[in-house]
Amino acid sequence: SAMAGLLKRSAETVLDRGGAVRGFVNMGRDQTLPYRMRRHMEYHTTGTYWLMHYYANPKTSGVLMSQLKLDPRVIRCNVVKVSDKLNEMVATSESIVTF
């Protein structure tokens, strides 16, 4: 499907630049948007929400945002920085390999 292609392309963007994808969360398909949004010369009233949890440097996040903004399947995208350090992100029960 179109959504699977978008998720795959987003993950490949992060992985190709040395990042790591922790997972995806489908937050709802065909949800009513909070208000009518115009994007790519069309108005939208519904959309699919998804979340990609990943580790990457700021430049990779910028490249990902640029790709998503140009993609006609994306109405709106955003990046939220959750933590500065990998150790703060990974649960204590998970092991971390350091070099």
Side-chain angles (χ1 to χ4, degrees), residues 23-42:
F24 291 95
V25 178
N26 181 357
M27 299 178 66
R29 190 171 189 96
D30 297 326
Q31 296 279 332
T32 302
L33 299 176
Y35 51 90
R36 186 175 76 152
M37 296 182 189
R38 185 167 189 251
R39 188 69 173 181
H40 304 292
M41 298 174 51
E42 287 183 41

Side-chain angles (χ1 to χ4, degrees), residues 42-54:
E42 287 183 41
Y43 285 100
H44 304 275
T45 56
T46 61
T48 300
Y49 291 86
W50 58 277
L51 172 80
M52 182 173 77
H53 193 179
Y54 67 95

Side-chain angles (χ1 to χ4, degrees), residues 6 9-14 17 40 60-74 77:
L6 179 61
R9 182 174 176 217
S10 299
E12 286 173 347
T13 298
V14 172
R17 288 166 177 76
H40 304 292
T60 300
S61 293
V63 170
L64 179 62
M65 285 294 289
S66 296
Q67 286 182 352
L68 290 173
K69 286 179 180 180
L70 293 173
D71 196 306
R73 298 169 288 188
V74 177
C77 56

